Each structure stands twice: as C-alpha cells, then as structure tokens.
Amino acid sequence: MTQAKVKHPIPLTFKEYLEYDDGSDTRYDLLANGELIAVPSEAEINYYLAMLLYGKLSAFVNFRLIMVHVLTMEVNPVGDNYRNRRPDLAVLRPEHLQLDSIINKTALCIGAPAPQFVAEIVSPGGGSSDNHRRDYEWKRQQYQTWGIPEYWIIDPHRMQVTVLALVEEIYQEAVYKDNQRIHSDTFPELNLTAQSLLDV
C-alpha cells in the first residue's frame, strides 16, 4: 500500500503532531522532516493479540513496572526517518510518571528513559512488505538505539514470537514457535508459549 503524505502549512513538531486533528479518522505517522504520512488503521488481529498479551502481562505489573499501554502510547525515539512510533504494547516504569518528557501520560519524548518493554505485532501483509521490514529491521534498530531492554515481535503469519533482549547495547535474538515457552527477562514468571499466544 502506498502511503500518502499530507500537506500542511509548516513542518510539525512532535508536540504539534500529538495535537493535530484534521477532523477525520485517519491515523498519521510523523516523518523526520515534520511531514505527516497517512497509515492504515490497526488490523483486528493486531488489536486482539495486543489485548491478549496485555492480559497475560498485567498480572506481573507491580511497583517496578507500571502503565501497560495497548495501542495508545506514542514514543519519540531517535533513528531512521520517523519521529514517532506507536508500539502495540508498551510497559513503563514508575520514574516515567515524574517526567516532563511524558505528555498527558500518552507520549514519551526524546530524552525520556526508554520503556522497559515493547511488543509489536506484524501487520497483515507480513512477508517481504514494509510491514515486515518496519518491525524486524527499522523498529529493531530504533528500539535498540533507545535502549529498550526487551522487544517482542509477534508474527501471526510466521507463527512465531521473536524476543530481543538488550545485552551490552546490542539485541540478542531468540525465536519461539509451537509449544516452546517464551523466556522474558522482564517477566521471568510468565508461563506463555508461542502457540498459546498465536493460536487465534
């Protein structure tokens, strides 16, 4: 799908992007040059899987891990040509509540500490499309540069969950399929297999 750039009078800052409303239901991403680009709405399976994972993880959120966001947290990390990301699921830490760099509890700006955990679900049309490259390559590099300790790529097309754990500033990768139990450094008590998450 070709993404359409949106014309507006001046380049938008990240804060202006968060406040932007053209009266439509169109979702936008913000490019590094301040342009908006229209993006498709989340697929139903993405929302379902994000909510399923939310239900599994929320039991382990405590005094050191808070605020599990599903499809609502905008982040403004550094890297590639995008100034915003919208993880399918993000887990923050208590210190995020005290920051000036968090806007209305729904956006993290450049300079904020990285979330503890993010998960992305590969959208329909996975394969060799931009959907695949966005989650496996672009976001991986962006989240690694920001220092997010744990990043999951949930791929219902390949029926696998890729867990990326930050070790000495580099992601170490483990891929889980079928009845393999997913290991999480953030949620060590989690008892979840790839199949139980992806069998929808």
Side-chain angles (χ1 to χ4, degrees), residues 53-121:
L53 184 58
Y54 167 81
K56 299 290 186 182
L57 299 185
S58 60
F60 302 104
V61 172
N62 52 36
F63 65 92
R64 65 183 181 83
L65 296 171
I66 60 162
M67 295 173 62
V68 180
H69 288 264
V70 180
L71 301 167
T72 59
M73 174 59 70
E74 298 272 359
V75 296
N76 184 209
V78 295
D80 81 31
N81 292 321
Y82 287 85
R83 293 180 63 177
N84 81 296
R85 288 297 184 197
R86 191 181 300 107
D88 290 314
L89 187 143
V91 178
L92 304 186
R93 300 187 302 272
E95 56 264 37
H96 286 107
L97 291 177
Q98 313 302 322
L99 298 174
D100 292 334
S101 51
I102 186 166
I103 302 173
N104 297 328
K105 298 183 181 178
T106 60
L108 283 179
C109 295
I110 286 176
Q116 176 64 33
F117 175 100
V118 295
E120 298 282 7
I121 296 149

Side-chain angles (χ1 to χ4, degrees), residues 164-179:
L164 299 159
L166 203 62
V167 178
E168 297 181 355
E169 301 183 352
I170 302 293
Y171 275 141
Q172 302 299 310
E173 176 181 308
V175 178
Y176 299 90
K177 297 184 177 185
D178 303 323
N179 286 315

